[in-house]
Amino acid sequence: DSSLKDLSGKVVGIITGSTDALLLEKDPSISIESYDSVPAALNDLVSENIEAALLPSLTASAYVDHLYFRKLKVASKPLNDQGLRLITLKDKNLDLIRRFNKGLEHLKKDGAYQELILKWDLEGQTK
């Protein structure tokens, strides 16, 4: 996964009990930090104790658009077919976002991106 390469060497928060660890464990350089709740993970992200958090699409959008408005940004479209999104501090980790976007361009070129757009009914969304 080219999107996993964007997380190499990063500390990434996940929610305890999620299957996200299985995705991240493909790259042993990614440090995984588990959290009992979404707010705990996102508070650590705001405090810069972690560099990113992986959350389901709807959860990520709900928190970032409301409680963490202007503090956090949903930095990706879904990373897998479960609607996983990358979240990082707004105006921070620009290299991570740049590298992720490069991987996203690859997904667009090979058609996988459009398949995910159709699967998740995201046509017309700009987030």
Side-chain angles (χ1 to χ4, degrees):
D1 284 342
S2 62
S3 55
L4 279 181
K5 291 178 186 172
D6 297 334
L7 298 174
S8 287
K10 304 287 183 195
V11 180
V12 180
I14 64 168
I15 303 306
T16 302
S18 73
T19 59
D20 301 341
L22 298 175
L23 176 69
L24 295 177
E25 287 172 349
K26 293 178 182 178
D27 182 340
S29 75
I30 298 172
S31 296
I32 301 170
E33 192 70 38
S34 293
Y35 293 89
D36 291 330
S37 69
V38 172
L42 296 180
N43 286 338
D44 258 8
L45 182 56
V46 170
S47 299
E48 300 186 44
N49 295 323
I50 59 175
E51 296 170 270
L54 293 182
L55 300 172
S57 295
L58 295 177
T59 303
S61 293
Y63 277 93
V64 170
D65 291 347
H66 299 287
L67 294 175
Y68 295 90
F69 184 68
R70 293 197 174 141
K71 291 181 182 175
L72 297 176
K73 174 183 177 182
V74 175
S76 76
K77 296 290 184 187
L79 294 181
N80 62 15
D81 64 357
Q82 296 175 350
L84 194 60
R85 292 185 185 239
L86 173 68
I87 300 174
T88 189
L89 283 171
K90 185 176 175 112
D91 300 324
K92 297 265 185 162
N93 296 309
L94 299 179
D95 185 57
L96 172 64
I97 293 170
R98 181 189 55 73
R99 289 185 297 140
F100 185 87
N101 286 337
K102 185 176 179 181
L104 186 60
E105 285 305 313
H106 175 74
L107 290 176
K108 287 180 179 180
K109 285 180 185 175
D110 74 8
Y113 178 81
Q114 188 59 35
E115 290 176 23
L116 289 170
I117 292 293
L118 293 173
K119 177 178 180 160
W120 292 101
D121 194 26
L122 297 172
E123 201 68 45
Q125 289 192 14
T126 59
K127 293 182 181 174

